[in-house]
Amino acid sequence: MHLCPHCAQPIELSEIGEVAPHLLTQYSELRCEGEGKQPVWDTGESTRDVKPAKRPAQYLSAPEWLPSWQQRHVASLALPVAGALRIWLPHTTSLGHIASIDDMMRTYTRPVWDPQCECWTVPKNHFLVIVDRLLGRHTHLMIGREYNPHKNCTASCKNARGLDCNCSCLAEYHGHGSWMKGFTSVAEFGSSYRNESWHWRVAMHIRGHLRRG
């Protein structure tokens, strides 16, 4: 068996032993970037008695826009002003992301690969469910929101019931903070990326809290 070094799928090899052209996933029409590279795992079709050692599949790298916390990357969700909810998990292959997201959502909605952001995405209405389930699986979860530092918080923000908030309150008062029910923040910091302002909150699950969804 041969695995692609980019998406970790079992693949065929070209005539010169490189990864043959293939789609990123069975749910995507995008061609995988692993084409033309050397496979990461060859169980060996040679006649040698000693089989080559198995090498681990390549984990999906943290995208450029995702900051680190305490010099490491942790499970992360990001809510941009425009676009879908971005998801990144540590020590997880691209296919592992698909399997984890499918398991957390348990719906017919499939994650979509965003080639610009270099991560898997899902509709924003799954945000609270994924937050709760990731907090049950990871010690820390980093939640990011893109915001407008020049936009003042108003009554319409404080009384909002939805999830979207891009004003300078950093979603602290959005919907009276109800979206943060079920976890406690252990760190907060800001970042910027290509003229975007982001606020990040590192969350931990509140023990004994009845999780939503």
Side-chain angles (χ1 to χ4, degrees):
M1 180 186 297
H2 305 277
L3 298 181
C4 172
H6 182 73
C7 67
Q9 295 184 83
I11 45 81
E12 297 180 355
L13 299 184
S14 66
E15 294 180 355
I16 58 175
E18 295 177 341
V19 175
H22 61 283
L23 298 180
L24 186 61
T25 75
Q26 59 179 312
Y27 310 116
S28 171
E29 296 181 354
L30 297 174
R31 291 179 65 167
C32 179
E33 296 180 3
E35 175 184 341
K37 298 181 179 180
Q38 294 296 317
V40 296
W41 175 25
D42 182 357
T43 56
E45 298 176 0
S46 68
T47 57
R48 293 181 181 180
D49 295 333
V50 180
K51 294 183 179 180
K54 297 180 180 179
R55 288 181 286 178
Q58 184 175 352
Y59 297 140
L60 186 63
S61 300
E64 290 184 0
W65 52 265
L66 182 64
S68 61
W69 173 63
Q70 294 186 346
Q71 299 183 334
R72 63 191 176 105
H73 286 97
V74 299
S76 303
L77 297 179
L79 281 166
V81 172
L85 173 66
R86 305 172 188 175
I87 303 176
W88 184 85
L89 306 175
H91 311 300
T92 307
T93 64
S94 189
L95 285 182
H97 275 75
I98 296 175
S100 295
I101 295 169
D102 281 347
D103 183 57
M104 288 186 289
M105 291 172 51
R106 299 171 187 172
T107 70
Y108 290 105
T109 301
R110 296 294 187 182
V112 175
W113 175 257
D114 186 328
Q116 299 297 323
C117 298
E118 298 183 321
C119 66
W120 289 97
T121 66
V122 297
K124 290 181 180 178
N125 60 332
H126 295 284
F127 174 70
L128 291 180
V129 171
I130 293 179
V131 164
D132 284 338
R133 289 176 180 163
L134 281 178
L135 284 170
R137 302 180 182 193
H138 298 267
T139 304
H140 297 94
L141 173 64
M142 196 163 72
I143 303 171
R145 283 179 178 268
E146 184 186 358
Y147 73 99
N148 183 349
H150 306 295
K151 183 178 179 180
N152 294 326
C153 184
T154 62
S156 62
C157 173
K158 296 178 182 179
N159 296 324
R161 295 185 179 181
L163 297 173
D164 292 340
C165 176
N166 62 350
C167 69
S168 57
C169 79
L170 305 176
E172 192 77 29
Y173 306 115
H174 188 74
H176 301 286
S178 60
W179 70 277
M180 294 182 284
K181 183 179 180 181
F183 65 81
T184 182
S185 297
V186 297
E188 294 183 53
F189 59 93
S191 71
S192 60
Y193 179 75
R194 294 183 179 177
N195 298 320
E196 298 175 352
S197 296
W198 286 83
H199 174 258
W200 298 92
R201 185 186 306 272
V202 182
M204 290 185 65
H205 178 65
I206 297 177
R207 186 172 298 178
H209 173 70
L210 182 61
R211 289 160 51 190
R212 298 175 292 262

